[in-house]
Amino acid sequence: MKIPDTTKARVLVVGDVMLDRYWYGDASRISPEAPVPVVLWEREEERPGGAANVARNCAALGARTQLLSVVGRDEAGDKLAKLMRKEGVVLSLHRDAAIRTTQKLRVVHRKQQLLRIDMETPPSKEVLATKLADFRKALPGCDAVLLSDYGKGGLTHIATMIREARKAGKQVLVDPKGDDYSRYRGATLVTPNLAELREVVGQWTSEKDLAHRAQQLREKLGLEALLLTRGEDGMVLFRRGRALHVKAEKREVSDVTGAGDTVIATLAVMLAAGEGLESAVRIANRAGGIKVTKFGTAVVTLRELFGKA
């Protein structure tokens, strides 16, 4: 397969960012105080998470990537900004003194998560209003807009963003959250997984029923396409009057954390580089398969996707 030229692809990523912290240690004994493991701390690792992980995946594929989000005026926000600059991402991070940067702390023993602690507060309305103004300024300089919704409050104006981006002729991809998809109306593409789709359309009784419900949702929201990710069963791309089934590539799964980020980032970059939707989906499917062989949030490169770069 010919390698797409991603060097001119321009992607604007907007959404909820977070700092993923990993504490690695040995958990070979049980506490005498309570029936819980005692972890002897060995080392710590920090990685961008949420929309920040999406942005670093876009940058790793060669796209010129801008990230627009909100963080706190704290150590975690500083660390996240530093990590993203190393990834070559152009940053538009608004600082909100009233919040703490969203963090996910995972305690890990031999690549097995023992515990996850989440720290988060929603951003203020004033900061979000400024973020919307910056979004409008950034629109002309991108080919695709990627909205990464983690339900942390950073995409309060998502309906306006979709409307204005589509009016400007941009492709808009949404990684959804929650049971109200009405705010995603008019996007180019939405990428739910099975659990996320079920939360919106209810339980289906057969593959035919699933396809009917997915197409119904796509039509109701005025989407060009809906991409359903199905883990080890691959993906299904629903478009008007047809569905494309893409089988997952058989690989040994290490960790599915961040796989959805890698998939939608790859989709956005490939579409921004001029690939057709079906080709972009097949490449994104391959990227997701590579990601799950890696522990924690991670990126996939063009060399890994195509064997050379």
Side-chain angles (χ1 to χ4, degrees):
M1 180 187 287
K2 182 182 177 183
I3 302 175
D5 180 7
T6 59
T7 58
K8 294 181 181 178
R10 304 170 302 170
V11 180
L12 173 61
V13 179
V14 188
D16 300 308
V17 298
M18 56 196 73
L19 181 65
D20 284 352
R21 286 193 147 117
Y22 297 85
W23 285 5
Y24 297 95
D26 180 67
S28 57
R29 62 192 180 96
I30 300 298
S31 171
E33 304 167 353
V36 295
V38 174
V39 179
L40 182 60
W41 184 91
E42 294 173 351
R43 63 187 176 91
E44 179 179 2
E45 187 176 355
E46 295 162 325
R47 304 182 191 180
N53 185 47
V54 175
R56 72 191 278 246
N57 268 272
C58 291
L61 291 170
R64 288 183 283 173
T65 309
Q66 181 175 354
L67 174 62
L68 176 57
S69 192
V70 180
V71 295
R73 291 186 181 274
D74 52 17
E75 178 269 341
D78 294 340
K79 171 61 73 172
L80 188 56
K82 185 177 180 180
L83 288 171
M84 294 309 295
R85 290 191 187 99
K86 282 185 179 178
E87 302 281 355
V89 174
V90 176
L91 291 179
S92 297
L93 290 181
H94 292 272
R95 298 287 188 141
D96 187 344
I99 70 167
R100 58 181 353 184
T101 301
T102 298
Q103 298 178 64
K104 291 183 180 179
L105 170 60
R106 297 173 175 90
V107 181
V108 182
H109 167 68
R110 295 179 183 172
K111 292 191 175 182
Q112 182 70 41
Q113 281 191 43
L114 301 180
L115 176 70
R116 194 182 93 182
I117 301 170
D118 290 6
M119 292 162 268
E120 60 190 58
T121 48
S124 64
K125 293 180 180 179
E126 291 78 8
V127 171
L128 291 175
T130 305
K131 181 178 170 183
L132 182 58
D134 279 4
F135 174 80
R136 290 171 174 143
K137 292 178 185 176
L139 262 185
C142 72
D143 303 305
V145 174
L146 198 166
L147 302 170
S148 182
D149 191 355
Y150 271 80
K152 309 300 182 187
L155 284 173
T156 300
H157 301 298
I158 191 169
T160 302
M161 289 178 174
I162 291 172
R163 186 171 59 251
E164 295 191 6
R166 294 298 285 155
K167 187 176 180 180
K170 311 299 179 181
Q171 300 187 81
V172 180
L173 292 77
V174 180
D175 192 356
K177 196 76 172 179
D179 60 2
D180 179 16
Y181 278 25
S182 63
R183 62 187 184 276
Y184 307 140
R185 190 180 307 279
T188 307
L189 176 76
V190 173
T191 62
N193 59 31
L194 282 170
E196 289 165 342
L197 184 67
R198 189 177 293 113
E199 192 174 353
V200 178
V201 304
Q203 181 61 54
W204 45 87
T205 57
S206 64
E207 286 295 312
K208 184 178 180 181
D209 186 27
L210 165 58
H212 174 71
R213 290 170 187 251
Q215 288 285 25
Q216 228 179 15
L217 179 63
R218 184 195 61 76
E219 291 172 11
K220 178 182 177 182
L221 298 177
L223 309 172
E224 288 185 18
L226 184 148
L227 179 65
L228 176 62
T229 57
R230 306 187 62 168
E232 61 184 17
D233 292 323
M235 304 176 176
V236 186
L237 177 68
F238 294 99
R239 304 171 83 179
R240 176 174 292 189
R242 62 189 190 276
L244 171 70
H245 295 257
V246 182
K247 291 183 179 180
E249 297 182 10
K250 297 299 180 183
R251 299 178 188 270
E252 186 173 338
V253 176
S254 171
D255 187 1
V256 299
T257 304
D261 295 343
T262 297
V263 166
I264 196 168
T266 306
L267 265 175
V269 171
M270 294 304 152
L271 291 173
E275 286 293 302
L277 182 55
E278 290 191 4
S279 173
V281 166
R282 293 184 188 279
I283 296 170
N285 181 63
R286 187 182 312 151
I290 294 170
K291 160 45 210 78
V292 298
T293 66
K294 305 179 181 186
F295 181 75
T297 53
V299 300
V300 173
T301 65
L302 287 176
R303 183 179 296 277
E304 290 173 308
L305 276 174
F306 298 101
K308 56 184 178 179

